[in-house]
Amino acid sequence: MSEQIQTNFKSIKITVLQSYGEGIEIDLYLQMKSGRVLKIGHKGDEARDLYEKYTQKGVDELFLTEDDYNFFVKTVRDRLSALVADEQTPEEKEVKALSSGHDLFKSILAQGGLDEERGPILKSLTNGTIKAISRTNIFQKYKIFKQMCSEQYLHAMMTGYITSMMIDQTDWTNDENKHKVVMAALLCDVLLEQEDFKIMKHSLTKKDLPDRIIQHPLTTSQMLAKDSKFIPSETLTVVLQHHERPNGSGYPKSLQYQYIKPLSAFYIVANYFTEKVFTEDYTEENKNQKTLEVLGHVKEKFYSGPFRKAQEALEKVFSSLVV
């Protein structure tokens, strides 16, 4: 039996259902090309094979009724909080769950924003990511994590990791600043889709980008500002400024280095480093050569105001390679 898609249906990625759906009784719906939805799973069904079946067909999301969606989100919130608090959780299992939690968080923002019920998910994601990057050398685990994380979450985790190490090279290092930039890493690109990242990757200049991409730091920061009780103001500033450049060639506001905050500058440099080092041809064998090459580019591009300190901090992080 099919039903007309309505606002009381919420989309959710199959990867999230696979990570967190076990033991949660929900009805599952598939959206047809006509826009109508078909119930394909019932409360109490074993859904593991169903998820695999539709994944193989190229389906990446299913739909829940609003009541089931809210129940699912509440259950994930509690499970994610427990997982982050459990010091015995295997590292790979934790990172995979955090990646799926990040996918759910993107869905939450796109379909209603944060509230007292959903805000704690961001806190758990941030704390869980900090826990993950503090308990391991992510460079050594990069290949493993790449197989179990979304590309966006892996990039956020790597950028948060590098920014945190850079902050450790300063006299203003503290857990609070690290928390702010890791949260920013999770939030910066939450409104972008996979196709947007491909466009950004192949666009040489700002003029090659569509307006929705140029404006996404402003759009995202404005949207998140409505939920500012869950998000520090410094984190919102990093989100707003994360695509700016010291010479004013960035976006959305074409700010020059004098108007870019130090925490933003550190994040921007770390983000640039992550984008340039961890490309498709990254391997353990070429890691050192690639790192040295990118460090040279960073030194050429980021030398003004707070960017100089960020560049110097990044070089200290990899001092064993540059001596």
Side-chain angles (χ1 to χ4, degrees), residues 98-109:
L98 287 166
S99 179
S100 295
H102 188 246
D103 282 338
L104 177 62
F105 182 73
K106 289 180 64 178
S107 165
I108 289 170
L109 288 180

Side-chain angles (χ1 to χ4, degrees), residues 102-154:
H102 188 246
D103 282 338
L104 177 62
F105 182 73
K106 289 180 64 178
S107 165
I108 289 170
L109 288 180
Q111 300 181 103
L114 302 180
D115 54 24
E116 296 296 339
E117 288 285 317
R118 300 172 182 189
I121 291 179
L122 176 58
K123 180 180 178 181
S124 291
L125 283 173
T126 304
N127 291 339
T129 302
I130 290 171
K131 177 184 171 187
I133 64 180
S134 64
R135 71 192 290 205
T136 187
N137 184 327
I138 294 186
F139 294 106
Q140 295 176 354
K141 292 291 186 73
Y142 176 75
K143 187 176 292 186
I144 297 172
F145 289 162
K146 189 175 181 180
Q147 297 173 347
M148 60 183 58
C149 293
S150 71
E151 187 174 337
Q152 187 177 349
Y153 180 73
L154 179 60

Side-chain angles (χ1 to χ4, degrees), residues 212-226:
R212 72 174 186 280
I213 291 180
I214 290 176
Q215 296 301 323
H216 88 266
L218 178 60
T219 305
T220 306
S221 62
Q222 288 177 337
M223 178 192 71
L224 294 171
K226 299 174 184 176

Side-chain angles (χ1 to χ4, degrees), residues 28-303:
L28 298 167
Y29 295 82
L30 176 69
Q31 184 175 3
M32 313 300 286
K33 290 183 179 179
S34 65
R36 297 169 71 84
V37 293
L38 177 70
K39 184 184 282 190
I40 58 172
H42 298 77
K43 289 180 172 68
D45 288 352
E46 170 53 60
R48 192 174 305 169
D49 292 342
L50 183 147
Y51 298 146
E52 185 64 29
K53 170 186 173 181
Y54 283 99
T55 297
Q56 290 179 357
K57 289 184 175 183
V59 177
D60 68 349
E61 66 179 15
L62 297 176
F63 285 79
L64 309 182
T65 64
E66 187 168 7
D67 286 344
D68 278 355
Y69 180 84
N70 291 336
F71 174 63
F72 184 88
V73 167
K74 182 178 184 300
T75 305
V76 172
R77 181 200 68 192
D78 296 341
R79 289 183 177 180
L80 188 59
S81 177
L83 178 137
V84 171
D86 185 0
E87 295 296 333
Q88 304 305 313
T89 304
E91 191 175 1
E92 286 81 3
K93 178 182 178 181
E94 182 177 55
V95 168
K96 187 174 182 179
L98 287 166
S99 179
S100 295
H102 188 246
D103 282 338
L104 177 62
F105 182 73
K106 289 180 64 178
S107 165
I108 289 170
L109 288 180
Q111 300 181 103
L114 302 180
D115 54 24
E116 296 296 339
E117 288 285 317
R118 300 172 182 189
I121 291 179
L122 176 58
K123 180 180 178 181
S124 291
L125 283 173
T126 304
N127 291 339
T129 302
I130 290 171
K131 177 184 171 187
I133 64 180
S134 64
R135 71 192 290 205
T136 187
N137 184 327
I138 294 186
F139 294 106
Q140 295 176 354
K141 292 291 186 73
Y142 176 75
K143 187 176 292 186
I144 297 172
F145 289 162
K146 189 175 181 180
Q147 297 173 347
M148 60 183 58
C149 293
S150 71
E151 187 174 337
Q152 187 177 349
Y153 180 73
L154 179 60
H155 181 87
M157 184 166 59
M158 296 300 299
T159 305
Y161 178 60
I162 293 167
T163 312
S164 295
M165 289 195 296
M166 290 166 61
I167 289 174
D168 278 337
Q169 309 306 315
T170 71
D171 56 8
W172 41 274
T173 178
N174 57 56
D175 290 343
E176 185 178 359
N177 282 331
K178 294 178 187 179
H179 186 276
K180 291 170 183 175
V181 294
V182 170
M183 182 180 286
L186 296 169
L187 294 172
C188 279
D189 295 325
V190 288
L191 297 186
L192 296 181
E193 301 297 335
Q194 198 57 40
E195 191 60 34
D196 295 324
F197 293 109
K198 293 178 182 177
I199 293 171
M200 293 165 68
K201 185 176 181 180
H202 295 102
S203 298
L204 298 178
T205 64
K206 182 169 62 175
K207 67 181 182 181
D208 299 321
L209 294 172
D211 190 61
R212 72 174 186 280
I213 291 180
I214 290 176
Q215 296 301 323
H216 88 266
L218 178 60
T219 305
T220 306
S221 62
Q222 288 177 337
M223 178 192 71
L224 294 171
K226 299 174 184 176
D227 303 312
S228 58
K229 65 185 295 184
F230 305 105
I231 305 169
S233 60
E234 294 91 340
T235 295
L236 292 173
T237 299
V238 174
V239 173
L240 174 61
Q241 297 183 343
H242 75 278
H243 279 296
E244 300 291 356
R245 290 293 183 267
N247 63 359
S249 64
Y251 56 88
K253 295 191 173 184
S254 302
L255 298 177
Q256 294 191 331
Y257 69 89
Q258 301 98 317
Y259 304 101
I260 297 173
K261 298 295 184 181
L263 211 57
S264 298
F266 271 61
Y267 181 87
I268 290 165
V269 169
N271 189 49
Y272 177 89
F273 180 86
T274 303
E275 288 177 349
K276 299 302 181 183
V277 170
F278 297 98
T279 54
E280 292 176 0
D281 64 345
Y282 174 86
T283 64
E284 278 295 313
E285 292 72 26
N286 72 1
K287 176 183 69 176
N288 288 358
Q289 179 183 349
K290 201 169 184 64
T291 299
L292 285 170
E293 180 183 320
V294 175
L295 284 173
H297 295 325
V298 169
K299 201 165 188 176
E300 292 173 2
K301 292 176 178 291
F302 301 99
Y303 53 81

